[in-house]
Amino acid sequence: MPLVSTKEMFEKAYAGGYAIGAFNVNDMEIIQGIVDAAKVEQAPLILQVSAGARKYAKPVYLTKLVEAALIDTDLPIALHLDHGDDFEICKDCIDSGFTSVMIDGSKHPFEKNVELTARVVEYAHKHGVVVEGELGRLAGVEDDVNVSEKDALFTDPVEAAEFVRLTGVDSLAIAIGTSHGAYKFKGTPYLDFGRLQRVGELLPNFPIVLHGASSVPQAFVEKCNSFGGAIPGAQGVPEDMLRKAATMAVCKINIDTDLRLAMTASIREVLANNPAEFDPRKYLGPGREAIQAMVQHKIKNVLGCNNKI
Ligand code: G3H
Ligand code: 13P
Ligand code: ZN
């Protein structure tokens, strides 16, 4: 099956009260682990590539590995650019066969974000590619952050509706408390479900995206730490909160950090137990299996997109 758009995936996810997992890919083992998990769980899949991944692997290697995944499976897979920060990177991905791009103008003032996003949408739609925009600031939230501080960081629902109307984006990443990396909350985890609810009311049937949605499972943090190298202040988004968001307007949930933790914990364990090992397959293989197990868990227990082909 050729690469698919996320349009139909999101329509079904919205109606079905589940979300599609968007997993970051950087190399062959990560791609294989994710794709094998989706195959077992019969789940639609978004593979996403950041600017950093393109730099690490070279763009053509990643697109060819994703092509191999399409030959290896009948799954509906979308190939998505994660956090494109200018028109040129979006154009490059559209021209090289991506079916979805993100233009992340969230660091710009509203008008500049609108202008940049609308320009990408115009080019992408001409080429049959869908676009994710972003509005609001993803940042760690302190326990004692007050309402006006939250308003300054989090996405304003009225602005979100206006942003979608002005730009024509196909999906929107919003800030309601998640953030990137292994350290997300400085106290009790908190997601602003009231705000998500309001966005859903102002944008009916419109797919919302959650970035920074790793849960940073304690068991993996401890496993990484017990084999050397502590991960500072690790704390993620509780999985029940993500499950709840998936039953609301959230149709795409981005996960990268949890895959990094799973793979690294497994590789550290192999090398700690076999210090003389120097065949990369002996540690990258278990790393790939750890990715598969983590993605199967997310699909079944967090996203709810198993058996949705
Ligand atoms: O949100 C960012 C993703 O986790 C990708 O991270 O830019 O280090 O590839 P990266
Ligand atoms: P995490 O760092 O929580 O995995 O978020 C990944 C992400 O948002 C990729 O765009
Ligand atoms: Zn992100």
Side-chain angles (χ1 to χ4, degrees):
M1 183 190 289
L3 284 170
V4 300
S5 161
T6 55
K7 205 171 169 26
E8 195 188 327
M9 281 184 194
F10 289 165
E11 280 166 9
K12 288 187 184 163
Y14 203 104
Y18 61 90
I20 312 293
F23 301 100
N24 288 74
V25 299
N26 295 279
D27 66 15
M28 184 186 78
E29 282 76 13
I30 296 174
I31 293 176
Q32 289 178 334
I34 297 167
V35 169
D36 287 348
K39 217 172 175 178
V40 174
E41 299 301 337
Q42 288 295 289
L45 191 59
I46 300 171
L47 296 176
Q48 58 185 12
V49 172
S50 69
R54 281 162 54 90
K55 195 166 167 213
Y56 172 76
K58 289 190 188 169
V60 67
Y61 282 83
L62 292 176
T63 46
K64 290 294 168 192
L65 283 167
V66 173
E67 263 177 44
L70 294 169
I71 293 168
D72 187 36
T73 149
D74 270 339
L75 294 174
I77 300 177
L79 179 57
H80 174 75
L81 168 67
D82 191 28
H83 293 285
D85 79 342
D86 58 23
F87 176 81
E88 283 66 35
I89 190 171
C90 293
K91 179 178 182 302
D92 205 38
C93 289
I94 292 165
D95 294 347
S96 65
F98 280 50
T99 51
S100 172
V101 293
M102 174 188 193
I103 176 70
D104 180 359
S106 62
K107 65 173 185 277
H108 299 298
F110 185 81
E111 291 72 24
K112 172 98 196 287
N113 190 357
V114 167
E115 186 190 312
L116 176 62
T117 305
R119 186 171 170 224
V120 172
V121 169
E122 191 191 1
Y123 187 81
H125 284 183
K126 254 191 233 155
H127 293 80
V129 169
V130 288
V131 180
E132 173 184 325
E134 177 164 338
L135 191 65
R137 289 289 167 88
L138 262 67
V141 180
E142 313 237 12
D143 255 356
D144 55 357
V145 161
N146 63 37
V147 173
S148 66
E149 283 168 320
K150 270 182 199 148
D151 276 341
L153 285 173
F154 288 180
T155 308
D156 176 343
V158 173
E159 272 192 6
E162 185 67 352
F163 186 84
V164 170
R165 189 182 68 76
L166 292 171
T167 58
V169 275
D170 304 279
S171 62
L172 183 69
I174 63 168
I176 57 167
T178 61
S179 64
H180 292 107
Y183 184 29
K184 300 185 189 294
F185 300 99
K186 296 178 183 104
T188 314
Y190 167 87
L191 293 191
D192 192 338
F193 286 108
R195 201 173 287 260
L196 174 58
Q197 175 74 28
R198 189 76 189 120
V199 169
E201 285 161 7
L202 294 175
L203 287 167
N205 295 316
F206 185 83
I208 296 301
V209 179
L210 270 195
H211 282 247
S214 279
S215 297
V216 193
Q218 202 50 38
F220 285 86
V221 174
E222 276 161 23
K223 198 167 167 190
C224 278
N225 292 350
S226 70
F227 296 113
I231 295 164
Q235 167 153 222
V237 188
E239 290 184 337
D240 58 337
M241 289 191 185
L242 296 167
R243 183 83 277 285
K244 179 172 172 183
T247 64
M248 299 171 71
V250 170
C251 293
K252 172 174 179 272
I253 292 188
N254 284 13
I255 298 167
D256 186 7
T257 297
D258 283 351
L259 305 192
R260 295 179 180 193
L261 278 173
M263 189 174 203
T264 304
S266 148
I267 291 172
R268 281 190 186 177
E269 184 175 24
V270 172
L271 294 177
N273 291 333
N274 309 279
E277 184 56 67
F278 62 91
D279 177 347
R281 295 170 297 185
K282 295 284 172 24
Y283 52 87
L284 292 178
R288 176 172 59 192
E289 282 165 22
I291 295 253
Q292 178 177 343
M294 176 63 82
V295 173
Q296 281 189 236
H297 164 71
K298 296 287 179 187
I299 288 173
K300 270 191 303 200
N301 305 320
V302 182
L303 304 157
C305 60
N306 49 321
N307 301 315
K308 296 293 193 296
I309 302 290

